[in-house]
Amino acid sequence: MTDCRIAPSILSADFARLGAEVENVLASGADMIHFDVMDNHFVPNLTFGAPVCKALRNYGVTATIDVHLMVDPVDRLIGDFLDAGADIITFHPEASAHIDRSLSLIKEGGAKAGLVFNPATPLAYLDYVMDKIDMVLIMSVNPGFGGQSFIPTALDKLRDARARIDASGRDIWLEVDGGVKVDNIKEIAAAGADTFVAGSAIFNHRRDDDPNGYDSVVRDL
Ligand code: DX5
Ligand code: ZN
């Protein structure tokens, strides 16, 4: 198994103290930050845009920022997030009229690119882009909100995606997103995921006796 990565989703963080929250969760041992962008069009919720990503960079965040675009159309925002310092940009294939071109926009901008698969979205979208992508993101909830329950069918989908990635021979990360908790992460890892988004599992379990607030829960994941 390649290295594993924990990517806290800031959707569950305290937005009023976002810089400090990100600093603390990274100091607690997280590997990168998952940045959920929602437009109240592609998904029924509205979060934050590229200026907030830029603000985190200006605050001094140097860790990998993994931007999950739940927006439609996607292309215009790709440029904004490249300028704002995103390291990874993933999008839902349903939100792009030209998937190959959207992936190229991300790559030409110097970021890593990935596709995001909702629970019912087939992995067939991978058939002609395995040479272009750096990450596959499997949604284990329907996108739009944190704190939802893990959808078990995601395990078989992870196994399928892992087989596709291994067959490609490329270094492609396999990220899982939604309902990841201390009590299911081992099973999810066994299904082939190597990168784990966790929002409520982390930010809802801050402990005052932890040096950075989240040390215990990040260690437990
Ligand atoms: C949902 C987002 C997820 C979510 C994860 O649309 O893409 O990243 O914030 O939150 P938890 O870990 O609480 O399910
Ligand atoms: Zn996400």
Side-chain angles (χ1 to χ4, degrees):
M1 165 63 83
T2 53
D3 293 344
C4 285
R5 286 160 289 270
I6 300 292
S9 159
I10 59 171
L11 183 65
S12 297
D14 177 354
F15 290 177
R17 302 185 313 106
L18 191 56
E21 287 271 79
V22 167
E23 204 170 38
N24 288 343
V25 77
L26 290 167
S28 294
D31 299 287
M32 56 201 236
I33 294 300
H34 186 75
F35 195 97
D36 282 315
V37 184
M38 300 181 187
D39 65 357
N40 196 40
H41 171 62
F42 185 70
V43 295
N45 200 354
L46 184 65
T47 56
F48 26 65
V52 176
C53 183
K54 184 76 182 158
L56 288 174
R57 288 299 189 211
N58 294 340
Y59 182 82
V61 174
T62 54
T64 296
I65 297 182
D66 163 32
V67 173
H68 174 191
L69 292 179
M70 289 162 274
V71 303
D72 182 0
V74 72
D75 285 4
R76 200 187 65 68
L77 283 181
I78 287 173
D80 292 357
F81 275 95
L82 289 168
D83 294 344
D87 298 291
I88 304 170
I89 300 177
T90 61
F91 63 92
H92 293 251
E94 299 94 331
S96 171
H98 305 283
I99 296 166
D100 183 272
R101 182 185 295 146
S102 300
L103 290 170
S104 298
L105 278 177
I106 297 169
K107 303 287 285 183
E108 286 156 14
K112 290 182 182 297
L115 289 182
V116 190
F117 293 84
N118 281 339
T121 303
L123 291 179
Y125 279 107
L126 290 174
D127 287 352
Y128 302 101
V129 298
M130 289 302 275
D131 60 329
K132 266 205 165 58
I133 59 172
D134 305 291
M135 184 152 85
V136 173
L137 170 45
I138 302 295
M139 294 302 294
S140 34
V141 295
N142 287 296
F145 302 92
Q148 300 180 80
S149 299
F150 183 85
I151 297 174
T153 52
L155 293 172
D156 279 341
K157 202 167 186 181
L158 282 164
R159 292 183 189 104
D160 184 350
R162 170 52 59 197
R164 287 167 177 262
I165 289 170
D166 291 351
S168 76
R170 296 192 65 245
D171 180 20
I172 296 172
W173 291 0
L174 180 52
E175 188 173 48
V176 59
D177 187 4
V180 176
K181 308 289 182 201
V182 171
D183 62 9
N184 63 13
I185 194 168
K186 282 191 177 55
E187 186 183 17
I188 296 168
D194 55 35
T195 307
F196 305 85
V197 176
S200 52
I202 293 175
F203 289 108
N204 293 6
H205 292 82
R206 180 187 176 86
R207 285 180 42 168
D208 293 338
D209 59 345
D210 272 342
N212 302 293
Y214 301 105
D215 309 68
S216 305
V217 67
V218 172
R219 189 176 49 243
D220 289 349
L221 282 171

